Amino acid sequence: MKKGTAVGVNIIGLMHNPKYYKNPEAFNPDRWYDKETLSSDPYSFIPFSAGPKSCIGKHLSMMESKIILTYFLKFFKFS
């Protein structure tokens, strides 16, 4: 590969790949609770990815998300 070559990642293709996700075209947020999906290739989930080049703030952002969700559940009533 030559210096300056542009490289892209086909995120849509990866997130809709039936190799990694059952029924990938359907909107199903519960797929992230499926143990089979969670144990699949860690590089198939783009937001944080995995490996030495993964997001350095992923643990912080996950902790912040849990704290915010806790406050919402504590102070608001959902129906």
Side-chain angles (χ1 to χ4, degrees):
M1 194 175 296
K2 293 183 180 180
K3 182 179 179 179
T5 301
V7 177
V9 176
N10 184 0
I11 296 172
I12 299 295
L14 181 62
M15 299 302 286
H16 290 89
N17 189 336
K19 179 180 175 182
Y20 301 111
Y21 304 103
K22 293 179 187 174
N23 196 8
E25 298 297 325
F27 176 72
N28 181 13
D30 292 334
R31 74 173 41 143
W32 306 115
Y33 295 111
D34 182 20
K35 287 185 179 186
E36 185 178 322
T37 302
L38 293 174
S39 65
S40 68
D41 186 3
Y43 297 97
S44 67
F45 185 62
I46 291 296
F48 294 123
S49 192
K53 302 276 185 182
S54 69
C55 176
I56 62 171
K58 68 181 173 183
H59 298 294
L60 174 65
S61 63
M62 291 302 289
M63 183 63 69
E64 288 175 336
S65 300
K66 292 174 186 177
I67 291 170
I68 291 169
L69 180 62
T70 302
Y71 277 103
F72 273 113
L73 294 173
K74 184 176 180 181
F75 294 110
F76 294 97
K77 185 176 184 178
F78 296 94
S79 59

Coordinates of all heavy atoms in Angstrom, one line a residue:
M1 N 0.8 -1.2 0.0 CA 0.0 0.0 0.0 C 0.9 1.2 0.0 O 1.8 1.3 0.8 CB -0.9 0.0 1.2 CG -2.0 1.0 1.1 SD -3.2 0.9 2.5 CE -3.9 -0.7 2.3
K2 N 0.6 2.2 -0.8 CA 1.4 3.4 -0.9 C 1.0 4.4 0.2 O -0.1 4.4 0.6 CB 1.1 4.1 -2.3 CG 1.7 3.3 -3.4 CD 1.5 4.0 -4.7 CE 2.0 3.2 -5.9 NZ 1.8 3.9 -7.2
K3 N 2.0 5.2 0.5 CA 1.7 6.3 1.5 C 0.7 7.2 1.0 O 0.7 7.6 -0.2 CB 3.0 7.0 1.8 CG 2.9 8.1 2.8 CD 4.2 8.8 3.0 CE 4.1 9.9 4.0 NZ 5.4 10.6 4.3
G4 N -0.3 7.6 1.8 CA -1.4 8.5 1.4 C -2.6 7.8 0.9 O -3.6 8.5 0.5
T5 N -2.6 6.5 0.8 CA -3.7 5.7 0.3 C -4.9 5.8 1.3 O -4.7 5.7 2.5 CB -3.4 4.3 0.1 OG1 -2.3 4.2 -0.8 CG2 -4.5 3.5 -0.4
A6 N -6.0 6.2 0.9 CA -7.2 6.2 1.7 C -7.8 4.8 2.0 O -7.9 4.0 1.1 CB -8.3 7.1 1.1
V7 N -8.1 4.6 3.2 CA -8.7 3.3 3.6 C -10.0 3.6 4.4 O -10.1 4.5 5.2 CB -7.7 2.6 4.6 CG1 -8.3 1.3 5.1 CG2 -6.4 2.3 3.9
G8 N -11.0 2.8 4.0 CA -12.3 3.0 4.7 C -12.8 1.7 5.2 O -12.4 0.6 4.8
V9 N -13.7 1.8 6.2 CA -14.4 0.6 6.7 C -15.9 0.7 6.4 O -16.5 1.7 6.6 CB -14.2 0.6 8.3 CG1 -14.9 -0.6 8.9 CG2 -12.7 0.5 8.6
N10 N -16.4 -0.4 5.8 CA -17.8 -0.5 5.4 C -18.6 -0.8 6.7 O -18.9 -2.0 6.9 CB -17.9 -1.5 4.3 CG -19.4 -1.5 3.8 OD1 -20.2 -0.8 4.3 ND2 -19.6 -2.4 2.8
I11 N -18.9 0.2 7.4 CA -19.7 0.0 8.7 C -21.0 -0.6 8.4 O -21.5 -1.5 9.1 CB -19.8 1.3 9.5 CG1 -18.4 1.8 9.9 CG2 -20.6 1.1 10.7 CD1 -18.3 3.1 10.5
I12 N -21.8 -0.1 7.5 CA -23.1 -0.6 7.2 C -23.0 -2.1 6.8 O -23.8 -2.9 7.2 CB -23.7 0.2 6.0 CG1 -23.9 1.7 6.4 CG2 -25.1 -0.4 5.6 CD1 -24.8 1.9 7.5
G13 N -22.0 -2.4 6.0 CA -21.9 -3.8 5.6 C -21.5 -4.7 6.7 O -22.0 -5.9 6.8
L14 N -20.7 -4.2 7.6 CA -20.4 -5.0 8.8 C -21.5 -5.2 9.8 O -21.8 -6.3 10.3 CB -19.2 -4.4 9.5 CG -18.7 -5.1 10.7 CD1 -18.1 -6.5 10.4 CD2 -17.6 -4.3 11.4
M15 N -22.3 -4.1 10.0 CA -23.4 -4.2 11.0 C -24.6 -5.0 10.4 O -25.5 -5.3 11.1 CB -23.8 -2.8 11.4 CG -22.7 -2.0 12.1 SD -22.0 -2.8 13.6 CE -23.4 -2.6 14.7
H16 N -24.6 -5.2 9.1 CA -25.7 -6.0 8.5 C -25.2 -7.3 7.9 O -25.8 -7.9 7.0 CB -26.3 -5.1 7.3 CG -27.1 -4.0 7.8 ND1 -26.5 -2.7 8.0 CD2 -28.4 -3.9 8.2 CE1 -27.4 -1.9 8.5 NE2 -28.6 -2.6 8.6
N17 N -24.1 -7.8 8.5 CA -23.6 -9.1 8.0 C -24.2 -10.2 8.8 O -24.1 -10.3 10.0 CB -22.0 -9.1 8.2 CG -21.3 -10.2 7.6 OD1 -21.9 -11.3 7.3 ND2 -20.1 -10.1 7.3
P18 N -24.9 -11.2 8.1 CA -25.5 -12.3 8.8 C -24.5 -13.2 9.4 O -24.9 -14.1 10.2 CB -26.3 -13.0 7.7 CG -25.8 -12.5 6.4 CD -25.1 -11.1 6.7
K19 N -23.2 -13.1 9.1 CA -22.2 -13.9 9.7 C -22.1 -13.6 11.2 O -21.8 -14.5 12.0 CB -20.9 -13.7 9.0 CG -19.7 -14.5 9.6 CD -18.5 -14.2 8.8 CE -17.2 -14.8 9.4 NZ -16.0 -14.5 8.7
Y20 N -22.3 -12.3 11.5 CA -22.2 -11.9 12.9 C -23.5 -11.7 13.6 O -23.5 -11.7 14.9 CB -21.3 -10.6 13.0 CG -20.0 -10.8 12.3 CD1 -19.6 -10.2 11.1 CD2 -19.0 -11.6 13.0 CE1 -18.4 -10.3 10.6 CE2 -17.8 -11.8 12.4 CZ -17.4 -11.1 11.2 OH -16.2 -11.3 10.7
Y21 N -24.5 -11.3 12.9 CA -25.8 -11.0 13.5 C -27.0 -11.8 12.9 O -27.1 -11.8 11.7 CB -26.1 -9.5 13.4 CG -25.0 -8.6 13.9 CD1 -24.1 -8.0 13.1 CD2 -24.8 -8.4 15.3 CE1 -23.1 -7.2 13.6 CE2 -23.8 -7.7 15.8 CZ -22.9 -7.1 14.9 OH -21.9 -6.3 15.4
K22 N -27.8 -12.3 13.8 CA -29.0 -13.0 13.3 C -30.0 -12.0 12.8 O -30.2 -11.0 13.5 CB -29.7 -13.8 14.4 CG -28.9 -15.0 14.9 CD -29.6 -15.6 16.1 CE -28.8 -16.7 16.7 NZ -29.4 -17.3 17.9
N23 N -30.6 -12.2 11.7 CA -31.6 -11.3 11.1 C -31.1 -9.8 11.2 O -31.7 -9.0 11.8 CB -32.9 -11.4 11.8 CG -34.0 -10.8 11.0 OD1 -33.9 -10.4 9.9 ND2 -35.2 -10.7 11.7
P24 N -30.0 -9.5 10.5 CA -29.3 -8.2 10.6 C -30.1 -7.0 10.1 O -29.9 -5.9 10.5 CB -28.0 -8.4 9.8 CG -28.3 -9.4 8.8 CD -29.3 -10.4 9.5
E25 N -31.1 -7.3 9.2 CA -31.9 -6.2 8.7 C -33.0 -5.7 9.6 O -33.5 -4.6 9.4 CB -32.5 -6.6 7.3 CG -31.5 -6.9 6.3 CD -30.6 -5.8 5.9 OE1 -31.1 -4.6 5.8 OE2 -29.4 -6.0 5.6
A26 N -33.3 -6.5 10.6 CA -34.4 -6.1 11.6 C -33.8 -5.2 12.7 O -32.7 -5.4 13.2 CB -35.0 -7.3 12.2
F27 N -34.6 -4.2 13.1 CA -34.2 -3.4 14.3 C -34.5 -4.3 15.5 O -35.7 -4.6 15.8 CB -35.0 -2.1 14.3 CG -34.8 -1.3 15.5 CD1 -33.6 -0.6 15.7 CD2 -35.7 -1.2 16.5 CE1 -33.3 0.1 16.8 CE2 -35.5 -0.4 17.7 CZ -34.3 0.2 17.8
N28 N -33.5 -4.7 16.2 CA -33.6 -5.5 17.4 C -32.6 -5.1 18.5 O -31.5 -5.7 18.5 CB -33.5 -7.0 17.1 CG -33.7 -7.9 18.2 OD1 -34.1 -7.4 19.3 ND2 -33.4 -9.1 18.1
P29 N -32.9 -4.1 19.3 CA -31.9 -3.8 20.4 C -31.6 -4.9 21.3 O -30.5 -4.9 22.0 CB -32.6 -2.6 21.1 CG -33.7 -2.2 20.2 CD -34.1 -3.3 19.4
D30 N -32.5 -5.9 21.5 CA -32.3 -7.0 22.4 C -31.2 -7.9 21.9 O -30.8 -8.8 22.7 CB -33.6 -7.7 22.6 CG -34.6 -6.9 23.4 OD1 -34.2 -6.0 24.1 OD2 -35.8 -7.2 23.2
R31 N -30.7 -7.8 20.7 CA -29.7 -8.7 20.2 C -28.4 -8.5 21.0 O -27.6 -9.4 21.1 CB -29.3 -8.4 18.7 CG -28.6 -7.2 18.4 CD -28.2 -7.1 17.0 NE -29.3 -7.6 16.1 CZ -29.6 -7.1 15.0 NH1 -28.9 -6.1 14.5 NH2 -30.6 -7.6 14.3
W32 N -28.2 -7.4 21.7 CA -27.0 -7.2 22.5 C -27.1 -8.0 23.8 O -26.1 -8.0 24.6 CB -26.7 -5.7 22.7 CG -26.7 -5.0 21.5 CD1 -27.6 -4.1 21.0 CD2 -25.8 -5.2 20.4 NE1 -27.3 -3.7 19.8 CE2 -26.2 -4.3 19.3 CE3 -24.7 -6.0 20.2 CZ2 -25.5 -4.3 18.1 CZ3 -24.0 -6.0 19.0 CH2 -24.4 -5.1 18.0
Y33 N -28.2 -8.6 24.2 CA -28.3 -9.4 25.4 C -28.1 -10.9 25.1 O -28.0 -11.7 26.0 CB -29.7 -9.2 26.0 CG -30.0 -7.8 26.5 CD1 -30.9 -7.0 25.9 CD2 -29.3 -7.4 27.6 CE1 -31.1 -5.7 26.4 CE2 -29.5 -6.1 28.1 CZ -30.4 -5.3 27.5 OH -30.6 -4.0 27.9
D34 N -28.0 -11.2 23.8 CA -27.8 -12.6 23.4 C -26.4 -13.0 23.6 O -25.4 -12.3 23.1 CB -28.2 -12.7 21.9 CG -28.1 -14.1 21.4 OD1 -28.1 -15.1 22.2 OD2 -28.0 -14.3 20.1
K35 N -26.1 -14.1 24.3 CA -24.7 -14.5 24.6 C -24.0 -14.9 23.4 O -22.8 -14.6 23.3 CB -24.7 -15.6 25.6 CG -25.1 -15.2 27.0 CD -25.0 -16.4 28.0 CE -25.4 -15.9 29.4 NZ -25.1 -16.9 30.4
E36 N -24.7 -15.4 22.4 CA -24.0 -15.8 21.2 C -23.5 -14.6 20.4 O -22.4 -14.6 19.9 CB -25.0 -16.6 20.3 CG -24.3 -17.1 19.0 CD -25.3 -17.9 18.2 OE1 -26.1 -18.7 18.8 OE2 -25.2 -17.8 17.0
T37 N -24.3 -13.5 20.4 CA -23.9 -12.3 19.7 C -22.7 -11.6 20.5 O -21.7 -11.2 19.9 CB -25.0 -11.3 19.6 OG1 -26.1 -11.9 18.9 CG2 -24.6 -10.0 18.9
L38 N -22.8 -11.6 21.8 CA -21.7 -11.0 22.6 C -20.4 -11.7 22.5 O -19.4 -11.1 22.7 CB -22.2 -10.9 24.1 CG -23.3 -9.9 24.3 CD1 -23.8 -10.0 25.8 CD2 -23.0 -8.5 24.0
S39 N -20.5 -13.0 22.3 CA -19.3 -13.8 22.3 C -18.7 -13.9 20.8 O -17.7 -14.6 20.6 CB -19.5 -15.2 22.8 OG -20.4 -15.9 22.0
S40 N -19.4 -13.3 19.9 CA -18.9 -13.3 18.5 C -17.6 -12.4 18.4 O -17.1 -12.0 19.4 CB -20.0 -12.9 17.5 OG -20.2 -11.5 17.7
D41 N -17.2 -12.2 17.2 CA -16.0 -11.5 17.0 C -16.0 -10.1 17.6 O -16.9 -9.3 17.3 CB -15.8 -11.3 15.4 CG -14.5 -10.7 15.0 OD1 -13.7 -10.4 15.9 OD2 -14.3 -10.5 13.8
P42 N -15.1 -9.7 18.5 CA -15.2 -8.4 19.1 C -15.0 -7.2 18.2 O -15.3 -6.1 18.5 CB -14.1 -8.5 20.2 CG -13.1 -9.5 19.7 CD -14.0 -10.5 19.0
Y43 N -14.4 -7.5 17.0 CA -14.2 -6.5 16.0 C -15.4 -6.2 15.2 O -15.4 -5.3 14.3 CB -13.0 -6.9 15.1 CG -11.7 -7.0 15.9 CD1 -11.2 -8.2 16.3 CD2 -10.9 -5.9 16.2 CE1 -10.1 -8.4 17.0 CE2 -9.8 -6.0 16.9 CZ -9.3 -7.2 17.3 OH -8.2 -7.3 18.1
S44 N -16.5 -6.9 15.4 CA -17.7 -6.7 14.6 C -18.5 -5.6 15.1 O -19.5 -5.2 14.4 CB -18.5 -8.0 14.5 OG -19.0 -8.4 15.7
F45 N -18.3 -5.1 16.3 CA -19.1 -4.0 16.8 C -18.2 -2.8 16.8 O -17.3 -2.6 17.5 CB -19.5 -4.4 18.3 CG -20.4 -3.3 18.9 CD1 -21.6 -3.1 18.4 CD2 -20.0 -2.6 20.0 CE1 -22.5 -2.2 18.9 CE2 -20.9 -1.7 20.6 CZ -22.1 -1.5 20.0
I46 N -18.6 -1.9 15.9 CA -17.7 -0.7 15.5 C -17.6 0.4 16.6 O -16.6 0.9 16.8 CB -18.2 -0.1 14.2 CG1 -17.9 -1.0 13.1 CG2 -17.6 1.3 14.0 CD1 -16.5 -1.3 12.8
P47 N -18.7 0.7 17.4 CA -18.5 1.9 18.3 C -17.3 1.8 19.2 O -16.7 2.9 19.4 CB -19.8 1.8 19.1 CG -20.8 1.2 18.2 CD -20.0 0.2 17.4
F48 N -16.9 0.7 19.7 CA -15.7 0.7 20.6 C -14.6 -0.2 20.0 O -13.5 0.0 20.3 CB -16.1 0.2 22.0 CG -16.9 1.2 22.7 CD1 -18.1 0.8 23.2 CD2 -16.6 2.5 22.9 CE1 -19.0 1.6 23.9 CE2 -17.4 3.4 23.6 CZ -18.6 2.9 24.1
S49 N -15.0 -1.2 19.3 CA -14.1 -2.2 18.7 C -13.3 -2.9 19.7 O -13.7 -3.0 20.9 CB -13.2 -1.5 17.6 OG -12.5 -2.4 16.9
A50 N -12.1 -3.4 19.4 CA -11.3 -4.1 20.3 C -9.8 -4.1 19.8 O -9.6 -3.6 18.7 CB -11.8 -5.6 20.4
G51 N -9.0 -4.6 20.6 CA -7.5 -4.6 20.2 C -6.8 -3.4 20.7 O -7.3 -2.6 21.4
P52 N -5.5 -3.3 20.2 CA -4.6 -2.2 20.7 C -5.1 -0.8 20.2 O -4.7 0.2 20.8 CB -3.3 -2.6 20.1 CG -3.6 -3.5 19.0 CD -4.8 -4.2 19.3
K53 N -5.9 -0.8 19.2 CA -6.3 0.6 18.7 C -7.8 0.9 19.1 O -8.4 1.7 18.5 CB -6.2 0.6 17.1 CG -4.8 0.3 16.6 CD -4.0 1.6 16.6 CE -2.7 1.2 16.0 NZ -1.8 2.3 15.9
S54 N -8.3 0.2 20.1 CA -9.7 0.4 20.5 C -9.8 1.8 21.2 O -8.8 2.4 21.5 CB -10.1 -0.7 21.4 OG -9.5 -0.6 22.6
C55 N -11.0 2.2 21.4 CA -11.3 3.5 22.0 C -10.8 3.5 23.4 O -11.1 2.7 24.2 CB -12.9 3.7 22.0 SG -13.4 5.2 22.8
I56 N -10.0 4.5 23.7 CA -9.4 4.6 25.1 C -10.5 5.0 26.1 O -10.2 4.9 27.3 CB -8.2 5.6 25.1 CG1 -8.6 7.0 24.7 CG2 -7.1 5.1 24.2 CD1 -7.5 8.0 25.0
G57 N -11.6 5.6 25.7 CA -12.6 6.1 26.6 C -13.8 5.1 26.7 O -14.8 5.5 27.3
K58 N -13.7 3.9 26.2 CA -14.9 3.0 26.2 C -15.3 2.7 27.6 O -16.5 2.6 27.9 CB -14.6 1.8 25.4 CG -13.6 0.8 25.9 CD -13.5 -0.4 24.9 CE -12.4 -1.3 25.3 NZ -12.2 -2.4 24.4
H59 N -14.4 2.5 28.5 CA -14.8 2.1 29.9 C -15.4 3.3 30.6 O -16.4 3.1 31.3 CB -13.6 1.6 30.7 CG -13.0 0.3 30.1 ND1 -13.7 -0.9 30.1 CD2 -11.8 0.1 29.5 CE1 -12.9 -1.8 29.5 NE2 -11.8 -1.2 29.1
L60 N -14.9 4.5 30.4 CA -15.4 5.7 31.0 C -16.8 5.9 30.4 O -17.8 6.2 31.2 CB -14.6 6.9 30.7 CG -15.1 8.2 31.2 CD1 -15.3 8.3 32.7 CD2 -14.2 9.3 30.7
S61 N -17.0 5.8 29.1 CA -18.3 6.1 28.5 C -19.4 5.1 29.0 O -20.5 5.4 29.2 CB -18.2 6.2 27.0 OG -17.8 5.0 26.5
M62 N -19.0 3.8 29.1 CA -19.9 2.8 29.6 C -20.3 3.1 31.0 O -21.5 2.9 31.4 CB -19.3 1.4 29.4 CG -19.2 1.0 28.0 SD -20.7 1.0 27.1 CE -21.5 -0.4 27.8
M63 N -19.4 3.5 31.9 CA -19.7 3.8 33.3 C -20.6 5.0 33.3 O -21.5 5.0 34.1 CB -18.4 4.1 34.0 CG -18.6 4.3 35.5 SD -19.3 3.0 36.4 CE -18.0 1.8 36.4
E64 N -20.3 6.1 32.5 CA -21.2 7.2 32.5 C -22.6 6.9 32.1 O -23.5 7.4 32.6 CB -20.6 8.3 31.6 CG -19.3 9.0 32.1 CD -18.7 9.9 31.1 OE1 -18.9 9.8 29.9 OE2 -18.0 10.8 31.6
S65 N -22.7 6.0 31.1 CA -24.0 5.6 30.6 C -24.8 4.9 31.7 O -26.0 5.2 31.9 CB -23.9 4.7 29.4 OG -23.2 5.3 28.4
K66 N -24.2 4.1 32.5 CA -24.8 3.4 33.5 C -25.3 4.3 34.7 O -26.3 4.2 35.2 CB -23.9 2.3 34.1 CG -23.7 1.1 33.1 CD -22.6 0.2 33.7 CE -22.3 -0.9 32.6 NZ -21.3 -1.8 33.1
I67 N -24.4 5.3 35.0 CA -24.8 6.3 36.0 C -26.0 7.1 35.6 O -26.9 7.3 36.3 CB -23.5 7.2 36.3 CG1 -22.5 6.3 37.0 CG2 -23.9 8.4 37.2 CD1 -21.1 7.0 37.2
I68 N -25.9 7.6 34.3 CA -27.1 8.4 33.8 C -28.3 7.6 33.8 O -29.4 8.1 34.2 CB -26.7 8.9 32.4 CG1 -25.6 10.0 32.5 CG2 -27.9 9.5 31.7 CD1 -25.0 10.4 31.2
L69 N -28.3 6.3 33.4 CA -29.4 5.5 33.4 C -30.0 5.3 34.8 O -31.2 5.3 35.0 CB -29.1 4.1 32.7 CG -30.3 3.1 32.7 CD1 -31.4 3.6 31.8 CD2 -29.8 1.8 32.1
T70 N -29.1 5.1 35.7 CA -29.5 5.0 37.1 C -30.3 6.2 37.6 O -31.3 6.1 38.3 CB -28.3 4.7 38.0 OG1 -27.6 3.5 37.6 CG2 -28.7 4.5 39.5
Y71 N -29.8 7.4 37.3 CA -30.5 8.6 37.7 C -31.8 8.7 37.0 O -32.8 9.1 37.7 CB -29.6 9.8 37.4 CG -28.6 10.1 38.4 CD1 -27.3 9.8 38.3 CD2 -29.0 10.7 39.6 CE1 -26.3 10.1 39.2 CE2 -28.0 11.0 40.6 CZ -26.7 10.7 40.4 OH -25.8 10.9 41.4
F72 N -31.9 8.4 35.8 CA -33.2 8.4 35.1 C -34.2 7.5 35.7 O -35.3 7.8 36.0 CB -33.1 8.0 33.6 CG -32.7 9.2 32.7 CD1 -31.5 9.3 32.1 CD2 -33.7 10.2 32.5 CE1 -31.2 10.4 31.3 CE2 -33.4 11.3 31.7 CZ -32.1 11.4 31.1
L73 N -33.8 6.3 36.1 CA -34.6 5.3 36.7 C -35.0 5.7 38.1 O -36.1 5.4 38.6 CB -34.0 3.9 36.7 CG -33.8 3.3 35.3 CD1 -33.0 2.0 35.5 CD2 -35.1 3.0 34.6
K74 N -34.2 6.4 38.8 CA -34.4 6.9 40.1 C -35.4 8.0 40.2 O -36.3 8.1 41.1 CB -33.1 7.2 40.8 CG -33.3 7.6 42.3 CD -31.9 7.8 42.9 CE -32.0 8.2 44.3 NZ -30.7 8.5 44.9
F75 N -35.3 9.0 39.3 CA -36.0 10.3 39.4 C -37.2 10.4 38.4 O -37.9 11.4 38.5 CB -35.0 11.4 39.2 CG -34.0 11.6 40.3 CD1 -32.7 11.3 40.1 CD2 -34.4 11.9 41.6 CE1 -31.8 11.4 41.1 CE2 -33.5 12.0 42.6 CZ -32.2 11.8 42.4
F76 N -37.3 9.5 37.5 CA -38.4 9.6 36.5 C -39.3 8.4 36.5 O -38.8 7.3 36.8 CB -37.9 9.9 35.1 CG -37.1 11.2 34.9 CD1 -35.8 11.2 35.0 CD2 -37.9 12.3 34.7 CE1 -35.1 12.4 34.9 CE2 -37.2 13.5 34.6 CZ -35.8 13.6 34.7
K77 N -40.5 8.6 36.2 CA -41.4 7.4 36.1 C -41.7 7.2 34.6 O -42.2 8.1 33.9 CB -42.8 7.7 36.8 CG -43.7 6.6 36.9 CD -44.9 6.9 37.7 CE -45.8 5.7 37.8 NZ -47.0 6.0 38.7
F78 N -41.5 6.0 34.2 CA -41.7 5.7 32.7 C -43.0 4.9 32.6 O -43.3 4.1 33.4 CB -40.5 4.8 32.2 CG -39.2 5.6 32.2 CD1 -38.4 5.5 33.3 CD2 -38.9 6.4 31.2 CE1 -37.2 6.2 33.3 CE2 -37.7 7.1 31.2 CZ -36.8 7.0 32.3
S79 N -43.7 5.2 31.5 CA -44.9 4.4 31.3 C -45.0 4.0 29.8 O -44.4 4.6 29.0 CB -46.1 5.3 31.7 OG -46.2 6.5 30.9

